[in-house]
Structures are given as structure tokens and as C-alpha cells.
Amino acid sequence: MRRDPPPRDRRGPPRPPRPPARAPERAPREEAADLVRVAGLAAVSALFARAPQRVERLFYEEALREAAGPFCKVLAAARRPYRMLPRAELDRVAGTVQHGGIVAVARPKAIPAFDPAAVLAARERLPLLLALDGIANTHNLGAIARTAAFFGLDRIVLSGHAKQAGPSDSAHRVAEGGLEHLTLYRAAPLVPALEAIRPGFLAVGAVAEGGADPASLPRDRPVALVLGNEERGLSPETLAACEARVTLRGSGRIESLNVSVAAGILIWALKR
């Protein structure tokens, strides 16, 4: 009697085990570098007055609830969040205890490239142009911006110096809204930019000693005042691009002034 062959296994070789299902990836969180925290009522007020569209969210403590009311209405209309927080939580959100009870998280302002031709064309309404070459401390940048805005300047030129500070959280906090009234430009490198504007501006480098008194500078052109790094001052290359040097003379008891203080005095003296 003939036996039938055993049935063939048509399933083929065993399949490898399936990998475990992956959990859906969460949306990446916004990096701190993409946003800036603007703290303090004066700074937040300036931000909402001049660029409310940049504000992503707002946090405040109960003591400032009434002051924050108009800001909250703006954000509610834009469908953006705002929230009242206890002090300890607001400290964490602000990244500092020096927040004045209110913090706006905002998109930073763009820093366009410095255009010498555009500045030369506008020279009649620019009695003073301020350039910073390696100001490294963000508090100094904020203080200079506050002073510049106070005296009616509308722009500051930032160099491409490796140590040049930018408009960080702390700069905004110290500026007390000044950065909202200014346009920051980037001149990288700075030396060719100074050379390009010399037909219309007197480029003046601030130095600790050996410079002229501010009152003695020629006034045939608007002044472009250049301030250097807190420790090293202006580089030889930057000084060579300046047609004049200016020095504030004191009693001699202290070697020099903080750069933000010197900036305030020089802005007042040269803008007169």
C-alpha cells in the first residue's frame, strides 16, 4: 500500500520577531536660544507697545495682575498663553530673582547687517552713531542701550568681535525697555564698515588715555563713537580706522570708568 508524503509546510521559515512599537515622538521643546525673556514692567511695557506680535507668552505675580491686564488682553486676542504664578515659580521661569514680578517670553528682534550706504544717506538725522567693538558683559550692553535710548539714539552697531555681547535676557532686563527703542545692526567685520562711513562721519575711538577732550573734536560731520572691550579696549586695527580718539579725564584716583558709564557721558557730550 502506497503512503502519501507528509504535507509540505507552506508557511516558510519563521519570521523574525517584530520590534516593539515605538512611542510617538514628542514635539521638540523650544530652545532657550530661540526666545528671549524680557523681565521687568518697564521692559515688558516697551515690548508690548512696540512689538506685541513678538510675545509668545507672559507670566506675572499677583501684585502685578492689574498692570498685566492690558497685556493679557492682547495675548488673549492672539490666542497666546498668559499665567499668574507664585513668586518661586516666576523666579524659575525668569531664570533670575531680579524680574520685577513680570516676564514676557518673546521672539528676539532680527539683527540686520550694517549697511554703510544706508547710514550715509541718513546722516542728516543721525547726530551720533554708536558702535560697540567687543563689549562682552551683557549688563554693560543693556546699560548702554538704556542710555542710548534715553538720549534719543535709534541704533547701535555691534561688531563681529568674538566676545561681543548680544541682546540676551540680562541685557533686556538692564536696558529697561531701551532695546525696544533701538535697532541693533551687525558689522562683521567692523573696520571696513568704519572706513566706509568716514566720508560722512568722524569715527572716534574711546580710549582710557591719550585722547582729545570731547569738546575739542571737530563738528563738521556727525560722530561715530566706537567703544571697545572692557578689559583690552579697542584693538589696534579698530583704532587705526578711527580718525580721532577721545578720553574722559578724571581726578586720577581711579584709572578708568565702567564702559557703560563712559558711554553715557560721551553720548551726552558728543550729542550736544
Side-chain angles (χ1 to χ4, degrees):
M1 182 177 176
R2 181 180 178 185
R3 292 184 179 182
D4 293 327
R8 296 176 62 185
D9 187 350
R10 300 181 181 276
R11 292 177 298 178
R15 295 178 179 177
R18 292 183 178 179
R22 294 178 61 186
E25 293 184 358
R26 296 180 180 179
R29 297 183 63 183
E30 292 166 319
E31 297 292 338
D34 296 334
L35 297 172
V36 64
R37 291 174 289 192
V38 179
L41 186 57
V44 172
S45 297
L47 174 61
F48 272 91
R50 299 186 65 86
Q53 72 280 0
R54 287 177 33 225
V55 182
E56 292 292 328
R57 46 192 179 267
L58 178 73
F59 304 97
Y60 55 93
E61 62 182 4
E62 186 174 6
L64 289 184
R65 177 166 57 181
E66 184 176 351
F71 310 146
C72 295
K73 289 182 180 179
V74 171
L75 293 180
R79 298 182 179 274
R80 291 182 176 172
Y82 54 90
R83 186 179 176 188
M84 187 169 68
L85 296 177
R87 181 76 185 204
E89 184 66 9
L90 192 59
D91 293 348
R92 186 191 67 79
V93 170
T96 176
V97 297
Q98 305 296 330
H99 49 64
I102 189 166
V103 181
V105 180
R107 297 189 303 278
K109 292 170 69 174
I111 303 180
F114 179 70
D115 183 354
V119 171
L120 287 171
R123 63 184 292 270
E124 296 301 328
R125 59 181 180 84
L126 295 176
L128 180 63
L129 179 65
L130 185 60
L132 308 183
D133 189 21
I135 300 298
N137 188 301
T138 57
H139 288 191
N140 283 335
L141 173 61
I144 291 170
R146 180 177 181 177
T147 301
F150 178 85
F151 283 114
L153 275 62
D154 67 354
R155 68 194 68 195
I156 293 178
V157 181
L158 303 179
S159 73
H161 193 290
K163 292 187 176 182
Q164 179 63 59
S168 63
D169 296 357
S170 56
H172 275 276
R173 185 173 69 252
V174 174
E176 291 279 349
L179 283 166
E180 299 306 325
H181 294 275
L182 299 165
T183 300
L184 301 182
Y185 293 90
R186 181 79 67 184
L190 179 62
V191 168
L194 293 175
E195 293 172 343
I197 65 172
R198 279 173 60 167
F201 287 83
L202 176 67
V204 177
V207 293
E209 57 184 16
D213 184 275
S216 69
L217 292 174
R219 294 304 179 96
D220 58 321
R221 289 168 287 167
V223 170
L225 174 62
V226 189
L227 300 167
N229 178 261
E230 293 90 338
E231 295 180 2
R232 300 180 181 275
L234 292 170
S235 69
E237 295 78 14
T238 301
L239 277 175
C242 296
E243 294 178 81
R245 303 181 184 188
V246 65
T247 296
L248 293 172
R249 290 174 174 81
S251 66
R253 297 176 181 176
I254 300 296
E255 181 181 0
S256 62
L257 290 170
N258 172 274
V259 67
S260 67
V261 176
I265 297 172
L266 287 170
I267 290 171
W268 176 82
L270 296 174
K271 188 177 181 294
R272 294 177 65 191

